[in-house]
Amino acid sequence: MTTTNGSNEAIPTLQLLDPEGRRVTTRGTKGYRDRAADLTPENLRGMYRDMVLTRRFDEEATSLQRQGELALYAPSRGQEAAQVGSAYALRPQDFVFPSYREHGVLQVRGVDTVDRLRFFRGSDHGGWDPNEHNAHVYTVVIGAHALHATGYAMGVQRDGTPLDKHDGTAVITYFGDGATSQGDVNEAMVYATVNQAPVVFFLQNNQWAISEPTSRQTRTPLYRRGEAFGMPSLRVDGNDVLAVYAATQEALERARLGQGPSFIEAFTYRMGAHTTSDDPTRYRTTDQEEVWRRRDPIDRLAALLRAEGELDDEFVAQVQASADELGVGLRSGVRALDGGAPVSTFDDVYATPHGIVASERAWYEAYEAGDPPAEQYAIAETAQGGAR
């Protein structure tokens, strides 16, 4: 498969499943096809289920924000294959650094649906314990987490983790096309390649950095950014869950074996708004959206499963029932969240106790109880450089 950029240059793109749900046997893709062939019918139905549940989560979260229950929300509709396919390639010991739109990745990693929305409701600074699921909390600062992922991967090296494609540890970080213009992402790739860090840079190119199209950000395909830094790089059809899985599995195995970082560009489309504060009708047409609606990743996988006799109405009904249950639980769970204790701001700032943070916490607790003692105020004010 080839896609084009703004100058109509043909770009090689890995595809194993076409928009009609037919397996593709393009020359040169046998290694990837073999990886996808290892997925059992049960695996594929699991992918279908997680993609459907991710979309239902997305719809419910968007509705909750419109009803005033969330301050903001970043939809992921249309990107389910890129997220679920890549997450299925992860092993339990691998670590994920998401941005703020990787709801499908967190679905596969088992992060509770209500916990995923604590941050967007403003009741928590994160939402879940990253060590419980080997998945970091959402990062809203564009591209900053690419450095965190690379640092974590360098730590994995220094911990002496086994170099084994199954038992080794890899790190994956997700970001969008707009983040490739950020210095943090490029700096992370410098550190990753120089140190041969076991990290996969997974770009979800949904073609819009808020309202800026990719053509306004780059003159060359984005996967070539990785090549420029000296790492194996590949563009895949981001609406093809099989291609995404195979490409990510290969990159993660390379990382676990100590062969350094990789760069994957999943070429997809953001069917909804950038966030619920955005109005995409101001910068793109419904004709564009219709083209990508016909490439829907869930419909594509469903067509494959039906053609191969692995998806019946009973299973579809079961998944729909699970989606309905998710919706009910998410609505009631989010509405039951309180605002959180303000003093929790001081929790988990550093890995170990810190004197300045401790003094500021003491001052705040005294303030909440009444007027803080003058000496505590002086300590806090000094720690903050004299600024209140």
Side-chain angles (χ1 to χ4, degrees):
M1 173 191 175
T2 58
T3 53
T4 60
N5 60 11
S7 61
N8 292 321
E9 173 190 4
I11 305 169
T13 304
L14 176 65
Q15 185 185 77
L16 302 181
L17 194 63
D18 71 14
E20 285 70 44
R22 298 171 299 207
R23 293 185 185 266
V24 176
T25 57
T26 308
R27 186 176 182 179
T29 63
K30 185 178 186 305
Y32 295 108
R33 284 186 274 124
D34 288 346
R35 290 178 180 276
D38 288 338
L39 291 167
T40 66
E42 184 178 359
N43 293 148
L44 294 175
R45 285 192 294 270
M47 286 179 164
Y48 170 81
R49 180 180 185 276
D50 282 329
M51 289 166 69
V52 171
L53 294 183
T54 297
R55 182 163 294 182
R56 181 57 174 267
F57 170 84
D58 197 63
E59 293 169 350
E60 294 291 345
T62 300
S63 295
L64 283 166
Q65 196 283 329
R66 299 304 189 204
Q67 295 162 13
E69 301 291 349
L70 302 177
L72 188 73
Y73 178 70
S76 62
R77 186 183 184 91
Q79 298 178 222
E80 294 90 355
Q83 297 183 12
V84 171
S86 59
Y88 263 70
L90 293 164
R91 297 187 70 80
Q93 71 272 18
D94 296 333
F95 209 99
V96 175
F97 284 82
S99 59
Y100 47 79
R101 203 187 301 276
E102 278 68 48
H103 317 307
V105 177
L106 299 179
Q107 166 69 27
V108 178
R109 293 305 266 183
V111 178
D112 181 75
T113 55
V114 175
D115 287 346
R116 294 180 226 164
L117 294 181
R118 290 178 184 273
F119 171 79
F120 292 107
R121 187 166 170 87
S123 63
D124 195 282
H125 289 283
W128 61 90
D129 179 358
N131 293 317
E132 184 179 347
H133 305 282
N134 276 9
H136 199 266
V137 297
Y138 290 122
T139 299
V140 175
V141 179
I142 305 298
H145 58 296
L147 284 169
H148 307 159
T150 299
Y152 188 97
M154 291 169 64
V156 166
Q157 287 177 311
R158 286 149 180 78
D159 286 342
T161 304
L163 299 180
D164 183 273
K165 72 176 184 179
H166 297 301
D167 297 329
T169 297
V171 179
I172 188 168
T173 181
Y174 295 84
F175 51 93
D177 44 292
T180 62
S181 298
Q182 293 289 330
D184 284 355
V185 172
N186 291 274
E187 290 160 15
M189 290 194 282
V190 170
Y191 274 94
T193 51
V194 169
N195 291 280
Q196 285 294 88
V199 57
V200 176
F201 293 91
F202 194 97
L203 160 64
Q204 291 183 85
N205 181 0
N206 64 25
Q207 303 183 57
W208 295 98
I210 307 181
S211 59
E212 286 293 284
T214 307
S215 60
R216 294 282 296 274
Q217 301 176 69
T218 180
R219 295 295 298 170
T220 59
L222 287 172
Y223 78 93
R224 292 183 183 168
R225 297 280 179 94
E227 293 177 347
F229 285 96
M231 67 181 84
S233 304
L234 177 70
R235 173 186 266 207
V236 303
D237 180 347
N239 285 18
D240 173 358
V241 71
L242 301 187
V244 171
Y245 168 82
T248 310
Q249 185 190 61
E250 178 188 57
L252 290 168
E253 287 182 0
R254 209 159 35 221
R256 297 189 202 108
L257 287 167
Q259 296 173 2
S262 303
F263 188 102
I264 297 172
E265 176 190 356
F267 189 68
T268 181
Y269 196 82
R270 191 194 76 214
M271 290 301 297
H274 172 70
T275 69
T276 46
S277 66
D278 172 44
D279 178 8
T281 64
R282 300 183 65 180
Y283 53 82
R284 68 187 193 192
T285 67
T286 54
D287 289 342
Q288 290 175 307
E289 294 175 357
E290 182 57 35
V291 169
W292 282 91
R293 192 170 288 109
R294 292 195 294 269
R295 301 173 183 176
D296 187 275
I298 298 177
D299 291 346
R300 188 182 304 199
L301 179 57
L304 170 71
L305 287 168
R306 288 194 182 281
E308 297 184 350
E310 301 295 348
L311 186 70
D312 56 27
D313 292 342
E314 181 181 359
F315 181 77
V316 171
Q318 290 173 356
V319 172
Q320 183 59 51
S322 295
D324 293 341
E325 183 180 350
L326 181 152
V328 171
L330 188 62
R331 291 192 297 272
S332 60
V334 167
R335 288 172 178 147
L337 291 175
D338 59 26
V343 74
S344 66
T345 298
F346 300 97
D347 295 341
D348 305 317
V349 177
Y350 294 102
T352 57
H354 193 284
I356 293 177
V357 175
S359 68
E360 291 177 339
R361 182 186 189 115
W363 181 90
Y364 181 79
E365 289 175 333
Y367 174 82
E368 285 287 279
D371 290 330
E375 61 271 20
Q376 282 191 327
Y377 179 79
I379 292 171
E381 187 176 55
T382 300
Q384 296 170 14
R388 295 188 65 179

PDB file of all heavy atoms in Angstrom, residues 105-119:
ATOM      1  N   VAL A 105      -5.286   2.142  24.493  1.00  0.00           N
ATOM      2  CA  VAL A 105      -4.120   1.497  25.104  1.00  0.00           C
ATOM      3  C   VAL A 105      -4.424   1.187  26.566  1.00  0.00           C
ATOM      4  O   VAL A 105      -4.146   0.083  27.065  1.00  0.00           O
ATOM      5  CB  VAL A 105      -2.877   2.402  24.998  1.00  0.00           C
ATOM      6  CG1 VAL A 105      -1.681   1.756  25.690  1.00  0.00           C
ATOM      7  CG2 VAL A 105      -2.548   2.691  23.536  1.00  0.00           C
ATOM      8  N   LEU A 106      -5.024   2.145  27.256  1.00  0.00           N
ATOM      9  CA  LEU A 106      -5.343   1.950  28.668  1.00  0.00           C
ATOM     10  C   LEU A 106      -6.440   0.900  28.851  1.00  0.00           C
ATOM     11  O   LEU A 106      -6.472   0.194  29.862  1.00  0.00           O
ATOM     12  CB  LEU A 106      -5.762   3.280  29.295  1.00  0.00           C
ATOM     13  CG  LEU A 106      -4.686   4.377  29.247  1.00  0.00           C
ATOM     14  CD1 LEU A 106      -5.215   5.663  29.862  1.00  0.00           C
ATOM     15  CD2 LEU A 106      -3.412   3.929  29.938  1.00  0.00           C
ATOM     16  N   GLN A 107      -7.336   0.786  27.881  1.00  0.00           N
ATOM     17  CA  GLN A 107      -8.344  -0.271  27.917  1.00  0.00           C
ATOM     18  C   GLN A 107      -7.664  -1.632  27.931  1.00  0.00           C
ATOM     19  O   GLN A 107      -7.999  -2.509  28.730  1.00  0.00           O
ATOM     20  CB  GLN A 107      -9.264  -0.152  26.688  1.00  0.00           C
ATOM     21  CG  GLN A 107     -10.153  -1.357  26.409  1.00  0.00           C
ATOM     22  CD  GLN A 107     -11.250  -1.554  27.431  1.00  0.00           C
ATOM     23  OE1 GLN A 107     -11.692  -0.609  28.064  1.00  0.00           O
ATOM     24  NE2 GLN A 107     -11.693  -2.780  27.598  1.00  0.00           N
ATOM     25  N   VAL A 108      -6.693  -1.823  27.061  1.00  0.00           N
ATOM     26  CA  VAL A 108      -5.994  -3.108  26.984  1.00  0.00           C
ATOM     27  C   VAL A 108      -5.143  -3.346  28.228  1.00  0.00           C
ATOM     28  O   VAL A 108      -5.035  -4.475  28.705  1.00  0.00           O
ATOM     29  CB  VAL A 108      -5.129  -3.178  25.711  1.00  0.00           C
ATOM     30  CG1 VAL A 108      -4.350  -4.495  25.641  1.00  0.00           C
ATOM     31  CG2 VAL A 108      -6.000  -3.031  24.466  1.00  0.00           C
ATOM     32  N   ARG A 109      -4.562  -2.289  28.775  1.00  0.00           N
ATOM     33  CA  ARG A 109      -3.718  -2.440  29.961  1.00  0.00           C
ATOM     34  C   ARG A 109      -4.534  -2.617  31.241  1.00  0.00           C
ATOM     35  O   ARG A 109      -3.970  -2.868  32.307  1.00  0.00           O
ATOM     36  CB  ARG A 109      -2.795  -1.223  30.119  1.00  0.00           C
ATOM     37  CG  ARG A 109      -1.751  -1.068  29.052  1.00  0.00           C
ATOM     38  CD  ARG A 109      -0.879  -2.279  28.884  1.00  0.00           C
ATOM     39  NE  ARG A 109       0.364  -2.227  29.647  1.00  0.00           N
ATOM     40  CZ  ARG A 109       1.304  -3.159  29.598  1.00  0.00           C
ATOM     41  NH1 ARG A 109       1.128  -4.234  28.832  1.00  0.00           N
ATOM     42  NH2 ARG A 109       2.399  -3.056  30.322  1.00  0.00           N
ATOM     43  N   GLY A 110      -5.848  -2.501  31.144  1.00  0.00           N
ATOM     44  CA  GLY A 110      -6.698  -2.789  32.284  1.00  0.00           C
ATOM     45  C   GLY A 110      -6.913  -1.647  33.246  1.00  0.00           C
ATOM     46  O   GLY A 110      -7.345  -1.858  34.386  1.00  0.00           O
ATOM     47  N   VAL A 111      -6.657  -0.410  32.817  1.00  0.00           N
ATOM     48  CA  VAL A 111      -6.891   0.750  33.680  1.00  0.00           C
ATOM     49  C   VAL A 111      -8.395   0.993  33.779  1.00  0.00           C
ATOM     50  O   VAL A 111      -9.098   1.041  32.764  1.00  0.00           O
ATOM     51  CB  VAL A 111      -6.181   2.003  33.134  1.00  0.00           C
ATOM     52  CG1 VAL A 111      -6.474   3.215  34.022  1.00  0.00           C
ATOM     53  CG2 VAL A 111      -4.672   1.768  33.057  1.00  0.00           C
ATOM     54  N   ASP A 112      -8.887   1.143  34.996  1.00  0.00           N
ATOM     55  CA  ASP A 112     -10.318   1.331  35.240  1.00  0.00           C
ATOM     56  C   ASP A 112     -10.854   2.537  34.461  1.00  0.00           C
ATOM     57  O   ASP A 112     -10.196   3.572  34.361  1.00  0.00           O
ATOM     58  CB  ASP A 112     -10.547   1.543  36.730  1.00  0.00           C
ATOM     59  CG  ASP A 112     -12.007   1.728  37.079  1.00  0.00           C
ATOM     60  OD1 ASP A 112     -12.751   0.731  37.080  1.00  0.00           O
ATOM     61  OD2 ASP A 112     -12.398   2.889  37.326  1.00  0.00           O
ATOM     62  N   THR A 113     -12.043   2.400  33.920  1.00  0.00           N
ATOM     63  CA  THR A 113     -12.608   3.461  33.082  1.00  0.00           C
ATOM     64  C   THR A 113     -12.827   4.760  33.854  1.00  0.00           C
ATOM     65  O   THR A 113     -12.571   5.845  33.339  1.00  0.00           O
ATOM     66  CB  THR A 113     -13.942   3.007  32.457  1.00  0.00           C
ATOM     67  OG1 THR A 113     -14.829   2.574  33.492  1.00  0.00           O
ATOM     68  CG2 THR A 113     -13.714   1.870  31.468  1.00  0.00           C
ATOM     69  N   VAL A 114     -13.307   4.660  35.093  1.00  0.00           N
ATOM     70  CA  VAL A 114     -13.526   5.871  35.893  1.00  0.00           C
ATOM     71  C   VAL A 114     -12.195   6.529  36.230  1.00  0.00           C
ATOM     72  O   VAL A 114     -12.064   7.756  36.170  1.00  0.00           O
ATOM     73  CB  VAL A 114     -14.325   5.544  37.173  1.00  0.00           C
ATOM     74  CG1 VAL A 114     -14.438   6.787  38.060  1.00  0.00           C
ATOM     75  CG2 VAL A 114     -15.713   5.022  36.817  1.00  0.00           C
ATOM     76  N   ASP A 115     -11.197   5.726  36.557  1.00  0.00           N
ATOM     77  CA  ASP A 115      -9.875   6.278  36.865  1.00  0.00           C
ATOM     78  C   ASP A 115      -9.311   7.073  35.691  1.00  0.00           C
ATOM     79  O   ASP A 115      -8.613   8.074  35.887  1.00  0.00           O
ATOM     80  CB  ASP A 115      -8.902   5.162  37.242  1.00  0.00           C
ATOM     81  CG  ASP A 115      -9.188   4.576  38.618  1.00  0.00           C
ATOM     82  OD1 ASP A 115      -9.953   5.202  39.380  1.00  0.00           O
ATOM     83  OD2 ASP A 115      -8.650   3.500  38.924  1.00  0.00           O
ATOM     84  N   ARG A 116      -9.627   6.651  34.477  1.00  0.00           N
ATOM     85  CA  ARG A 116      -9.122   7.368  33.291  1.00  0.00           C
ATOM     86  C   ARG A 116      -9.678   8.784  33.193  1.00  0.00           C
ATOM     87  O   ARG A 116      -9.100   9.634  32.521  1.00  0.00           O
ATOM     88  CB  ARG A 116      -9.500   6.605  32.016  1.00  0.00           C
ATOM     89  CG  ARG A 116      -8.835   5.258  31.849  1.00  0.00           C
ATOM     90  CD  ARG A 116      -9.304   4.613  30.548  1.00  0.00           C
ATOM     91  NE  ARG A 116      -9.674   3.222  30.726  1.00  0.00           N
ATOM     92  CZ  ARG A 116     -10.384   2.524  29.861  1.00  0.00           C
ATOM     93  NH1 ARG A 116     -10.826   3.092  28.748  1.00  0.00           N
ATOM     94  NH2 ARG A 116     -10.679   1.252  30.093  1.00  0.00           N
ATOM     95  N   LEU A 117     -10.803   9.037  33.872  1.00  0.00           N
ATOM     96  CA  LEU A 117     -11.440  10.356  33.761  1.00  0.00           C
ATOM     97  C   LEU A 117     -11.273  11.213  35.016  1.00  0.00           C
ATOM     98  O   LEU A 117     -11.781  12.333  35.055  1.00  0.00           O
ATOM     99  CB  LEU A 117     -12.929  10.185  33.441  1.00  0.00           C
ATOM    100  CG  LEU A 117     -13.235   9.567  32.076  1.00  0.00           C
ATOM    101  CD1 LEU A 117     -14.740   9.482  31.857  1.00  0.00           C
ATOM    102  CD2 LEU A 117     -12.585  10.356  30.938  1.00  0.00           C
ATOM    103  N   ARG A 118     -10.581  10.728  36.026  1.00  0.00           N
ATOM    104  CA  ARG A 118     -10.364  11.538  37.227  1.00  0.00           C
ATOM    105  C   ARG A 118      -9.634  12.836  36.886  1.00  0.00           C
ATOM    106  O   ARG A 118      -9.958  13.903  37.409  1.00  0.00           O
ATOM    107  CB  ARG A 118      -9.567  10.746  38.260  1.00  0.00           C
ATOM    108  CG  ARG A 118     -10.337   9.609  38.892  1.00  0.00           C
ATOM    109  CD  ARG A 118      -9.474   8.831  39.884  1.00  0.00           C
ATOM    110  NE  ARG A 118     -10.194   7.686  40.416  1.00  0.00           N
ATOM    111  CZ  ARG A 118     -10.987   7.722  41.479  1.00  0.00           C
ATOM    112  NH1 ARG A 118     -11.150   8.862  42.141  1.00  0.00           N
ATOM    113  NH2 ARG A 118     -11.609   6.637  41.889  1.00  0.00           N
ATOM    114  N   PHE A 119      -8.639  12.725  36.024  1.00  0.00           N
ATOM    115  CA  PHE A 119      -7.880  13.911  35.635  1.00  0.00           C
ATOM    116  C   PHE A 119      -8.770  14.913  34.903  1.00  0.00           C
ATOM    117  O   PHE A 119      -8.747  16.110  35.175  1.00  0.00           O
ATOM    118  CB  PHE A 119      -6.704  13.487  34.747  1.00  0.00           C
ATOM    119  CG  PHE A 119      -5.976  14.624  34.111  1.00  0.00           C
ATOM    120  CD1 PHE A 119      -5.057  15.372  34.835  1.00  0.00           C
ATOM    121  CD2 PHE A 119      -6.209  14.956  32.783  1.00  0.00           C
ATOM    122  CE1 PHE A 119      -4.385  16.436  34.247  1.00  0.00           C
ATOM    123  CE2 PHE A 119      -5.535  16.016  32.196  1.00  0.00           C
ATOM    124  CZ  PHE A 119      -4.623  16.755  32.928  1.00  0.00           C
TER     125      PHE A 119
END
